[in-house]
Structures are given as C-alpha cells and as structure tokens.
Amino acid sequence: MGGGDISKEMGGCSLAYRRGDQKLRKFVTARSTKFLLFCCIAFALITLTCRSSRPWVNSSIAVADRISGSRKGYTLVMNTWKRYDLLKKSVSHYASCSRLDSIHIVWSEPKPPSDSLKEYLQNVIKKKSRDGHEVELRFDINKEDSLNNRFKEIKDLKTDAVFSIDDDIIFPCHTVDFAFNVWESAPETMVGFVPRVHWPEKSDDKADYYTYSGWWSVWWSGTYSMVLSKAAFFHKKYLSLYTNDMPASIRAFTTKNRNCEDIAMSFLVANATNAPPIWVKGKIYEIGSTGISSIGGHTEKRTHCVNRFVAEFGRMPLVYTSMKAVDSRNLWFW
C-alpha cells in the first residue's frame, strides 16, 4: 500500500470520526436539553403540590392567626372627604379583617354625615361581623377642615395600635394583619406601606438643606426615611403628642398649605424614638383618582415642608434604613 493510499485511508477515518463526534454531541445536547426541561417541569409540579398539600404550612399560618387573635387588635382611622362611594367600598372591605377592633372616620366636611350613609355603613359592618364580634363604627366630627384632624387625639381608644389609612386605598386583610404583627414587634415606631426618603443638598450655598424624594428614589437607592400615614400603623400615644406637643406653628402650616401632615407625623415619631420606620411590602389597590401628589410642583412643596420642619425641630430627626418586612408565607423563595 502506497503512502497516498494510507493518507486517504487516514483522512477518511478522521472525517468519519468527526462526523460521529458531531452526531454524538448533538445527541447528548438534545438529551441534556430535554432532561433539563423535564427537571424544571417536575420541580414546578412538585413545588405546587407541596405548597397545596403541606399540612404544616397551613397549620403554622392557622397557629399564627390564633396567636394574633388572642391579643388586642387595632383601630382603623380613615380620612375621607366627599367621596362616599369610596368610603363605602373601603369600610366594607376592612370590616371583614379579623383583627380590626373599630373604625373611626375622620369627618371634616361642613355638613354632618347623612343618616342614610351611617345606616348603610352600619349594615355593612353587621354583615361582615365574625364570631359574634362586631366592629365598632364611629364618625369623629370636626368643625374645622384641616389635615391635622386625621391625627387628632381620640380619648377612649381601646387599642394601642392605630392604622391610619386614606379612603381610596385598599390592602388585603392578610397583608394588613402581617403589618400589624410587624408593628407589634416594634410598637414605638411607624410601620407602613408607602416609603419616602429625604436627601441632603450638597451645594455649598445650601448648608443643612434637604430635598424630598418619592418612590423612584427609594426604589433606585434601596433606602428610605419615612413611611406615609396614608397607610401606616403607629401607637395611639402619637395622636396625643401630635395634638398637644407638636409645635403649633407646624399644625398651622399644614392647615394653611393643605399638605405635609404625614411628613410632620414622621418627624414627630422619629424625634421621639431616634429610630427609622419599617416598610412592609404589600400590594396597593388604589380605587380613587389621583390626589395632590399628581399636581405640579408637589415635590418642591414637600421639600419646603421638610426644611421648614427641620427648622422647627432644630435638627433633622429622620433616620435612614434599608430594611423591608416581607411575609415569607406568600413567597416561593425567601
């Protein structure tokens, strides 16, 4: 056999080897992809099955609910203004929450609530009552139209916890209960669903000057220093402090400008505790139209409020934090 024949034979073997290797790789790759896909589908099915069939998960939630139910509940203080359809929807929803003790509607309209409105809400609450416990409903009538009314002291509150809420915001009851549990672990601070942040101005001509920033700044930085009282828990003693110890100039400022009472409450709590608030992750359902935050110049007005309050308090009491409370029972991974 000549050298040329040997070279041809070796070249043919090499080509056959390469083709065989390519077929093998394609076979293995196809098998690997199918196997990987099978594993993913199997894992998803097993996870769904386990989540629906694990008795210890359901029992642990039930135990947690029983433990929570054995302690005092919370008082819902709802701010409203001439939006009766939203008020009816909100009261109807929250009346079914198991740990709710009473509902106080902050009424600042010129005319008192109509008998038909009061009768409707009372009937709704009776229908929503559980285990023989009927939620108490009360209208807190105010002569003056002021945003400070939402923080007016309530003398005969039965609960330590106050859940301050606007009439156009709804959270699922289990989310509210979780936030209440978080508040019980830190009852001196504010626990809420709507975080905001302030930032120091770095220019030389604005010493000790701060800017107010909204949700996108919180999302981008992972930092916040306030939770807004449109959806937040706090101790009832802060109603007394706001009414009796808050500088009168701050209350007059919020009444005149119809803004920033929530920032003032954040200042008050932070000044008393030297601690940050706690942000609870929760799905917000806004059932009303956009509020004052959509009006032009809103951020500038809030920035002015922050700096005005710093001057009144004599310092910046707000504390930064990056902590977020999440209910792991409703997550696949945590």
Side-chain angles (χ1 to χ4, degrees):
M1 181 179 296
D5 294 335
I6 294 175
S7 298
K8 290 181 181 179
E9 186 175 345
M10 291 181 66
C13 290
S14 176
L15 180 61
Y17 173 79
R18 286 198 302 271
R19 289 177 177 174
D21 181 60
Q22 289 174 354
K23 289 181 180 180
L24 179 61
R25 288 186 179 184
K26 289 181 180 179
F27 176 77
V28 171
T29 301
R31 283 295 183 91
S32 299
T33 302
K34 291 179 179 178
F35 178 73
L36 207 59
L37 182 61
F38 171 78
C39 289
C40 291
I41 295 173
F43 177 76
L45 292 174
I46 292 172
T47 302
L48 289 173
T49 303
C50 289
R51 285 184 66 84
S52 62
S53 64
R54 286 181 295 181
W56 59 86
V57 172
N58 295 329
S59 63
S60 66
I61 294 175
V63 169
D65 290 341
R66 284 199 301 271
I67 293 174
S68 298
S70 66
R71 295 173 290 191
K72 286 186 178 180
Y74 57 88
T75 298
L76 189 146
V77 177
M78 183 177 293
N79 198 47
T80 187
W81 176 263
K82 294 185 178 181
R83 301 194 292 189
Y84 310 130
D85 55 336
L86 301 183
L87 179 62
K88 291 176 181 179
K89 290 179 181 179
S90 294
V91 170
S92 177
H93 168 72
Y94 288 112
S96 63
C97 295
S98 61
R99 302 192 65 187
L100 178 65
D101 181 80
S102 61
I103 298 175
H104 285 248
I105 298 174
V106 181
W107 193 269
S108 302
E109 298 181 19
K111 295 182 180 180
S114 65
D115 291 337
S116 61
L117 176 63
K118 291 191 286 187
E119 182 180 359
Y120 178 89
L121 296 179
Q122 289 287 4
N123 290 333
V124 165
I125 287 178
K126 286 182 180 180
K127 293 178 181 179
K128 299 284 185 175
S129 62
R130 293 182 176 182
D131 302 325
H133 171 67
E134 185 174 319
V135 174
E136 178 187 358
L137 174 67
R138 197 168 88 181
F139 283 84
D140 294 335
I141 309 297
N142 297 282
K143 296 180 180 179
E144 179 189 19
D145 175 21
S146 171
L147 291 176
N148 294 313
N149 292 338
R150 72 182 307 160
F151 300 137
K152 186 173 287 187
E153 182 180 12
I154 303 174
K155 296 285 187 180
D156 55 349
L157 278 185
K158 298 177 182 178
T159 68
D160 289 336
V162 171
F163 182 40
S164 175
I165 191 79
D166 283 354
D167 60 4
D168 60 349
I169 297 178
I170 284 180
F171 294 92
C173 286
H174 67 84
T175 302
V176 178
D177 289 345
F178 174 70
F180 181 40
N181 290 337
V182 174
W183 176 86
E184 287 183 309
S185 70
E188 297 298 311
T189 192
M190 288 184 72
V191 174
F193 296 98
V194 187
R196 294 293 184 264
V197 67
H198 73 285
W199 297 115
E201 186 70 39
K202 296 182 179 180
S203 60
D204 296 333
D205 59 336
K206 291 185 177 180
D208 297 325
Y209 185 85
Y210 302 90
T211 57
Y212 172 91
S213 294
W215 160 246
W216 290 111
S217 184
V218 173
W219 176 81
W220 180 259
S221 65
T223 303
Y224 63 98
S225 56
M226 295 171 269
V227 290
L228 301 188
S229 57
K230 67 190 294 183
F233 279 95
F234 52 80
H235 197 283
K236 67 179 180 181
K237 68 181 180 182
Y238 293 120
L239 296 178
S240 175
L241 286 174
Y242 193 99
T243 302
N244 302 310
D245 296 334
M246 176 75 81
S249 56
I250 291 182
R251 295 199 306 273
F253 177 86
T254 57
T255 297
K256 179 181 179 180
N257 293 275
R258 297 195 62 80
N259 205 333
C260 301
E261 84 289 351
D262 48 357
I263 298 178
M265 177 58 87
S266 291
F267 267 68
L268 179 74
V269 176
N271 189 63
T273 62
N274 291 314
I278 300 176
W279 169 27
V280 175
K281 182 181 179 181
K283 175 64 176 177
I284 301 177
Y285 296 92
E286 298 189 70
I287 60 176
S289 58
T290 55
I292 60 173
S293 60
S294 62
I295 300 175
H298 177 69
T299 300
E300 290 75 15
K301 292 177 182 178
R302 305 278 278 182
T303 292
H304 177 61
C305 292
V306 169
N307 289 282
R308 174 67 181 264
F309 298 162
V310 168
E312 294 283 355
F313 276 82
R315 71 186 187 102
M316 166 51 80
L318 300 177
V319 180
Y320 294 110
T321 182
S322 298
M323 184 178 71
K324 178 170 64 175
V326 180
D327 190 352
S328 62
R329 297 176 300 178
N330 297 321
L331 300 175
W332 282 25
F333 302 102
W334 62 284

PDB file of all heavy atoms in Angstrom, residues 12 29 37 76 82 114 130 148 152 172 210 214 232 236 251 258 260-261 283 288 299 308 311 324 327:
ATOM      1  N   GLY A  12     -10.040   9.533   5.617  1.00  0.00           N
ATOM      2  CA  GLY A  12     -11.423   9.043   5.687  1.00  0.00           C
ATOM      3  C   GLY A  12     -11.818   8.699   7.100  1.00  0.00           C
ATOM      4  O   GLY A  12     -12.930   8.974   7.547  1.00  0.00           O
ATOM      5  N   THR A  29     -26.488  16.782  23.518  1.00  0.00           N
ATOM      6  CA  THR A  29     -27.069  18.106  23.755  1.00  0.00           C
ATOM      7  C   THR A  29     -28.582  18.045  23.766  1.00  0.00           C
ATOM      8  O   THR A  29     -29.248  18.641  24.619  1.00  0.00           O
ATOM      9  CB  THR A  29     -26.599  19.089  22.671  1.00  0.00           C
ATOM     10  OG1 THR A  29     -25.172  19.155  22.698  1.00  0.00           O
ATOM     11  CG2 THR A  29     -27.184  20.480  22.904  1.00  0.00           C
ATOM     12  N   LEU A  37     -35.286  20.316  30.743  1.00  0.00           N
ATOM     13  CA  LEU A  37     -36.672  20.756  30.659  1.00  0.00           C
ATOM     14  C   LEU A  37     -37.574  19.891  31.525  1.00  0.00           C
ATOM     15  O   LEU A  37     -38.463  20.377  32.227  1.00  0.00           O
ATOM     16  CB  LEU A  37     -37.129  20.722  29.196  1.00  0.00           C
ATOM     17  CG  LEU A  37     -38.559  21.204  28.918  1.00  0.00           C
ATOM     18  CD1 LEU A  37     -38.721  22.657  29.343  1.00  0.00           C
ATOM     19  CD2 LEU A  37     -38.887  21.048  27.442  1.00  0.00           C
ATOM     20  N   LEU A  76     -58.814  51.365  63.104  1.00  0.00           N
ATOM     21  CA  LEU A  76     -58.611  51.946  61.787  1.00  0.00           C
ATOM     22  C   LEU A  76     -59.131  53.383  61.796  1.00  0.00           C
ATOM     23  O   LEU A  76     -60.301  53.626  62.122  1.00  0.00           O
ATOM     24  CB  LEU A  76     -59.322  51.113  60.730  1.00  0.00           C
ATOM     25  CG  LEU A  76     -59.042  51.474  59.269  1.00  0.00           C
ATOM     26  CD1 LEU A  76     -59.059  50.230  58.399  1.00  0.00           C
ATOM     27  CD2 LEU A  76     -60.073  52.473  58.744  1.00  0.00           C
ATOM     28  N   LYS A  82     -65.810  63.830  51.005  1.00  0.00           N
ATOM     29  CA  LYS A  82     -66.809  63.884  49.939  1.00  0.00           C
ATOM     30  C   LYS A  82     -66.597  62.836  48.849  1.00  0.00           C
ATOM     31  O   LYS A  82     -66.755  63.115  47.653  1.00  0.00           O
ATOM     32  CB  LYS A  82     -66.835  65.290  49.317  1.00  0.00           C
ATOM     33  CG  LYS A  82     -67.321  66.365  50.272  1.00  0.00           C
ATOM     34  CD  LYS A  82     -67.445  67.718  49.588  1.00  0.00           C
ATOM     35  CE  LYS A  82     -67.983  68.769  50.547  1.00  0.00           C
ATOM     36  NZ  LYS A  82     -68.144  70.098  49.909  1.00  0.00           N
ATOM     37  N   SER A 114     -74.808  61.970  56.559  1.00  0.00           N
ATOM     38  CA  SER A 114     -76.254  61.742  56.455  1.00  0.00           C
ATOM     39  C   SER A 114     -76.651  60.469  57.189  1.00  0.00           C
ATOM     40  O   SER A 114     -75.840  59.558  57.388  1.00  0.00           O
ATOM     41  CB  SER A 114     -76.656  61.637  54.978  1.00  0.00           C
ATOM     42  OG  SER A 114     -76.061  60.492  54.386  1.00  0.00           O
ATOM     43  N   ARG A 130     -67.726  38.762  62.488  1.00  0.00           N
ATOM     44  CA  ARG A 130     -67.293  37.369  62.608  1.00  0.00           C
ATOM     45  C   ARG A 130     -67.292  36.928  64.057  1.00  0.00           C
ATOM     46  O   ARG A 130     -66.947  37.704  64.955  1.00  0.00           O
ATOM     47  CB  ARG A 130     -65.875  37.204  62.056  1.00  0.00           C
ATOM     48  CG  ARG A 130     -65.740  37.414  60.575  1.00  0.00           C
ATOM     49  CD  ARG A 130     -64.295  37.167  60.156  1.00  0.00           C
ATOM     50  NE  ARG A 130     -64.108  37.256  58.720  1.00  0.00           N
ATOM     51  CZ  ARG A 130     -62.954  37.035  58.118  1.00  0.00           C
ATOM     52  NH1 ARG A 130     -61.879  36.735  58.846  1.00  0.00           N
ATOM     53  NH2 ARG A 130     -62.856  37.119  56.805  1.00  0.00           N
ATOM     54  N   ASN A 148     -54.796  68.175  59.838  1.00  0.00           N
ATOM     55  CA  ASN A 148     -54.382  67.751  61.176  1.00  0.00           C
ATOM     56  C   ASN A 148     -55.450  66.911  61.869  1.00  0.00           C
ATOM     57  O   ASN A 148     -55.148  66.215  62.846  1.00  0.00           O
ATOM     58  CB  ASN A 148     -54.075  68.979  62.038  1.00  0.00           C
ATOM     59  CG  ASN A 148     -52.877  69.759  61.538  1.00  0.00           C
ATOM     60  OD1 ASN A 148     -51.832  69.193  61.233  1.00  0.00           O
ATOM     61  ND2 ASN A 148     -53.028  71.076  61.425  1.00  0.00           N
ATOM     62  N   LYS A 152     -55.876  63.900  65.258  1.00  0.00           N
ATOM     63  CA  LYS A 152     -56.435  64.448  66.489  1.00  0.00           C
ATOM     64  C   LYS A 152     -56.562  63.339  67.536  1.00  0.00           C
ATOM     65  O   LYS A 152     -56.922  62.198  67.228  1.00  0.00           O
ATOM     66  CB  LYS A 152     -57.805  65.075  66.219  1.00  0.00           C
ATOM     67  CG  LYS A 152     -58.403  65.810  67.413  1.00  0.00           C
ATOM     68  CD  LYS A 152     -59.682  66.546  67.026  1.00  0.00           C
ATOM     69  CE  LYS A 152     -59.365  67.771  66.176  1.00  0.00           C
ATOM     70  NZ  LYS A 152     -60.595  68.576  65.930  1.00  0.00           N
ATOM     71  N   PRO A 172     -55.231  43.852  51.049  1.00  0.00           N
ATOM     72  CA  PRO A 172     -55.857  42.608  51.514  1.00  0.00           C
ATOM     73  C   PRO A 172     -55.722  42.492  53.032  1.00  0.00           C
ATOM     74  O   PRO A 172     -54.730  42.949  53.616  1.00  0.00           O
ATOM     75  CB  PRO A 172     -55.049  41.520  50.795  1.00  0.00           C
ATOM     76  CG  PRO A 172     -54.464  42.200  49.600  1.00  0.00           C
ATOM     77  CD  PRO A 172     -54.193  43.617  50.016  1.00  0.00           C
ATOM     78  N   TYR A 210     -32.377  70.043  52.642  1.00  0.00           N
ATOM     79  CA  TYR A 210     -32.752  68.682  52.259  1.00  0.00           C
ATOM     80  C   TYR A 210     -33.804  68.722  51.153  1.00  0.00           C
ATOM     81  O   TYR A 210     -34.609  69.650  51.061  1.00  0.00           O
ATOM     82  CB  TYR A 210     -33.313  67.914  53.458  1.00  0.00           C
ATOM     83  CG  TYR A 210     -32.362  67.838  54.623  1.00  0.00           C
ATOM     84  CD1 TYR A 210     -32.359  68.822  55.614  1.00  0.00           C
ATOM     85  CD2 TYR A 210     -31.459  66.776  54.740  1.00  0.00           C
ATOM     86  CE1 TYR A 210     -31.476  68.749  56.687  1.00  0.00           C
ATOM     87  CE2 TYR A 210     -30.576  66.704  55.815  1.00  0.00           C
ATOM     88  CZ  TYR A 210     -30.594  67.691  56.773  1.00  0.00           C
ATOM     89  OH  TYR A 210     -29.713  67.633  57.824  1.00  0.00           O
ATOM     90  N   GLY A 214     -39.518  60.843  46.078  1.00  0.00           N
ATOM     91  CA  GLY A 214     -40.604  59.873  46.069  1.00  0.00           C
ATOM     92  C   GLY A 214     -40.157  58.436  45.858  1.00  0.00           C
ATOM     93  O   GLY A 214     -39.013  58.066  46.105  1.00  0.00           O
ATOM     94  N   ALA A 232     -50.384  53.413  57.337  1.00  0.00           N
ATOM     95  CA  ALA A 232     -49.334  53.126  58.313  1.00  0.00           C
ATOM     96  C   ALA A 232     -49.912  52.848  59.697  1.00  0.00           C
ATOM     97  O   ALA A 232     -50.957  53.395  60.077  1.00  0.00           O
ATOM     98  CB  ALA A 232     -48.348  54.293  58.399  1.00  0.00           C
ATOM     99  N   LYS A 236     -51.064  54.783  69.553  1.00  0.00           N
ATOM    100  CA  LYS A 236     -52.058  55.834  69.782  1.00  0.00           C
ATOM    101  C   LYS A 236     -51.495  57.038  70.533  1.00  0.00           C
ATOM    102  O   LYS A 236     -52.034  58.148  70.436  1.00  0.00           O
ATOM    103  CB  LYS A 236     -53.252  55.266  70.549  1.00  0.00           C
ATOM    104  CG  LYS A 236     -52.951  54.836  71.979  1.00  0.00           C
ATOM    105  CD  LYS A 236     -54.192  54.306  72.668  1.00  0.00           C
ATOM    106  CE  LYS A 236     -53.911  53.873  74.100  1.00  0.00           C
ATOM    107  NZ  LYS A 236     -55.125  53.332  74.750  1.00  0.00           N
ATOM    108  N   ARG A 251     -48.621  72.747  62.895  1.00  0.00           N
ATOM    109  CA  ARG A 251     -50.024  72.438  62.629  1.00  0.00           C
ATOM    110  C   ARG A 251     -50.683  73.547  61.815  1.00  0.00           C
ATOM    111  O   ARG A 251     -51.478  73.281  60.902  1.00  0.00           O
ATOM    112  CB  ARG A 251     -50.774  72.203  63.944  1.00  0.00           C
ATOM    113  CG  ARG A 251     -50.296  70.977  64.719  1.00  0.00           C
ATOM    114  CD  ARG A 251     -51.339  70.512  65.730  1.00  0.00           C
ATOM    115  NE  ARG A 251     -51.740  71.597  66.621  1.00  0.00           N
ATOM    116  CZ  ARG A 251     -51.111  71.920  67.745  1.00  0.00           C
ATOM    117  NH1 ARG A 251     -50.032  71.217  68.111  1.00  0.00           N
ATOM    118  NH2 ARG A 251     -51.540  72.906  68.511  1.00  0.00           N
ATOM    119  N   ARG A 258     -52.434  72.805  53.269  1.00  0.00           N
ATOM    120  CA  ARG A 258     -53.138  71.563  52.931  1.00  0.00           C
ATOM    121  C   ARG A 258     -52.175  70.508  52.388  1.00  0.00           C
ATOM    122  O   ARG A 258     -52.415  69.884  51.350  1.00  0.00           O
ATOM    123  CB  ARG A 258     -54.265  71.814  51.925  1.00  0.00           C
ATOM    124  CG  ARG A 258     -55.362  72.726  52.447  1.00  0.00           C
ATOM    125  CD  ARG A 258     -56.604  72.643  51.586  1.00  0.00           C
ATOM    126  NE  ARG A 258     -57.174  71.295  51.581  1.00  0.00           N
ATOM    127  CZ  ARG A 258     -57.937  70.796  52.561  1.00  0.00           C
ATOM    128  NH1 ARG A 258     -58.201  71.516  53.645  1.00  0.00           N
ATOM    129  NH2 ARG A 258     -58.406  69.579  52.469  1.00  0.00           N
ATOM    130  N   CYS A 260     -48.474  67.946  53.808  1.00  0.00           N
ATOM    131  CA  CYS A 260     -47.323  67.615  54.650  1.00  0.00           C
ATOM    132  C   CYS A 260     -47.654  67.208  56.082  1.00  0.00           C
ATOM    133  O   CYS A 260     -46.740  67.083  56.910  1.00  0.00           O
ATOM    134  CB  CYS A 260     -46.311  68.755  54.689  1.00  0.00           C
ATOM    135  SG  CYS A 260     -45.660  69.192  53.069  1.00  0.00           S
ATOM    136  N   GLU A 261     -48.919  66.975  56.415  1.00  0.00           N
ATOM    137  CA  GLU A 261     -49.205  66.474  57.762  1.00  0.00           C
ATOM    138  C   GLU A 261     -48.570  65.100  57.980  1.00  0.00           C
ATOM    139  O   GLU A 261     -48.195  64.746  59.110  1.00  0.00           O
ATOM    140  CB  GLU A 261     -50.711  66.434  58.006  1.00  0.00           C
ATOM    141  CG  GLU A 261     -51.443  65.202  57.516  1.00  0.00           C
ATOM    142  CD  GLU A 261     -51.557  65.094  55.989  1.00  0.00           C
ATOM    143  OE1 GLU A 261     -51.214  66.075  55.283  1.00  0.00           O
ATOM    144  OE2 GLU A 261     -51.990  64.039  55.509  1.00  0.00           O
ATOM    145  N   LYS A 283     -49.185  44.732  48.278  1.00  0.00           N
ATOM    146  CA  LYS A 283     -49.836  45.171  47.051  1.00  0.00           C
ATOM    147  C   LYS A 283     -50.872  46.237  47.377  1.00  0.00           C
ATOM    148  O   LYS A 283     -51.763  46.021  48.194  1.00  0.00           O
ATOM    149  CB  LYS A 283     -50.506  43.979  46.346  1.00  0.00           C
ATOM    150  CG  LYS A 283     -51.309  44.343  45.108  1.00  0.00           C
ATOM    151  CD  LYS A 283     -50.440  44.923  44.011  1.00  0.00           C
ATOM    152  CE  LYS A 283     -51.250  45.187  42.752  1.00  0.00           C
ATOM    153  NZ  LYS A 283     -50.464  45.820  41.687  1.00  0.00           N
ATOM    154  N   GLY A 288     -59.350  55.169  43.953  1.00  0.00           N
ATOM    155  CA  GLY A 288     -59.783  56.527  43.656  1.00  0.00           C
ATOM    156  C   GLY A 288     -58.947  57.159  42.568  1.00  0.00           C
ATOM    157  O   GLY A 288     -58.046  56.538  41.991  1.00  0.00           O
ATOM    158  N   THR A 299     -43.399  67.912  44.548  1.00  0.00           N
ATOM    159  CA  THR A 299     -42.120  67.583  45.192  1.00  0.00           C
ATOM    160  C   THR A 299     -41.468  68.822  45.790  1.00  0.00           C
ATOM    161  O   THR A 299     -40.902  68.773  46.897  1.00  0.00           O
ATOM    162  CB  THR A 299     -41.167  66.927  44.174  1.00  0.00           C
ATOM    163  OG1 THR A 299     -41.763  65.720  43.680  1.00  0.00           O
ATOM    164  CG2 THR A 299     -39.832  66.598  44.821  1.00  0.00           C
ATOM    165  N   ARG A 308     -38.741  73.298  56.447  1.00  0.00           N
ATOM    166  CA  ARG A 308     -39.468  74.080  57.455  1.00  0.00           C
ATOM    167  C   ARG A 308     -39.521  73.309  58.778  1.00  0.00           C
ATOM    168  O   ARG A 308     -39.311  73.875  59.862  1.00  0.00           O
ATOM    169  CB  ARG A 308     -40.875  74.380  56.942  1.00  0.00           C
ATOM    170  CG  ARG A 308     -41.795  75.061  57.948  1.00  0.00           C
ATOM    171  CD  ARG A 308     -41.365  76.458  58.297  1.00  0.00           C
ATOM    172  NE  ARG A 308     -42.272  77.062  59.273  1.00  0.00           N
ATOM    173  CZ  ARG A 308     -43.286  77.847  58.951  1.00  0.00           C
ATOM    174  NH1 ARG A 308     -43.540  78.123  57.675  1.00  0.00           N
ATOM    175  NH2 ARG A 308     -44.051  78.369  59.886  1.00  0.00           N
ATOM    176  N   ALA A 311     -36.217  73.234  60.664  1.00  0.00           N
ATOM    177  CA  ALA A 311     -36.011  74.485  61.400  1.00  0.00           C
ATOM    178  C   ALA A 311     -36.827  74.505  62.689  1.00  0.00           C
ATOM    179  O   ALA A 311     -36.348  74.969  63.736  1.00  0.00           O
ATOM    180  CB  ALA A 311     -36.379  75.674  60.512  1.00  0.00           C
ATOM    181  N   LYS A 324     -36.710  46.019  54.874  1.00  0.00           N
ATOM    182  CA  LYS A 324     -38.064  45.843  54.373  1.00  0.00           C
ATOM    183  C   LYS A 324     -38.643  44.556  54.935  1.00  0.00           C
ATOM    184  O   LYS A 324     -37.989  43.515  54.915  1.00  0.00           O
ATOM    185  CB  LYS A 324     -38.061  45.800  52.843  1.00  0.00           C
ATOM    186  CG  LYS A 324     -39.438  45.577  52.232  1.00  0.00           C
ATOM    187  CD  LYS A 324     -39.428  45.782  50.725  1.00  0.00           C
ATOM    188  CE  LYS A 324     -38.558  44.776  50.005  1.00  0.00           C
ATOM    189  NZ  LYS A 324     -38.635  44.903  48.544  1.00  0.00           N
ATOM    190  N   ASP A 327     -43.678  39.170  54.001  1.00  0.00           N
ATOM    191  CA  ASP A 327     -44.357  37.970  54.503  1.00  0.00           C
ATOM    192  C   ASP A 327     -43.888  36.767  53.690  1.00  0.00           C
ATOM    193  O   ASP A 327     -44.324  36.542  52.566  1.00  0.00           O
ATOM    194  CB  ASP A 327     -45.869  38.140  54.387  1.00  0.00           C
ATOM    195  CG  ASP A 327     -46.635  37.034  55.107  1.00  0.00           C
ATOM    196  OD1 ASP A 327     -46.000  36.058  55.555  1.00  0.00           O
ATOM    197  OD2 ASP A 327     -47.861  37.149  55.233  1.00  0.00           O
TER     198      ASP A 327
END
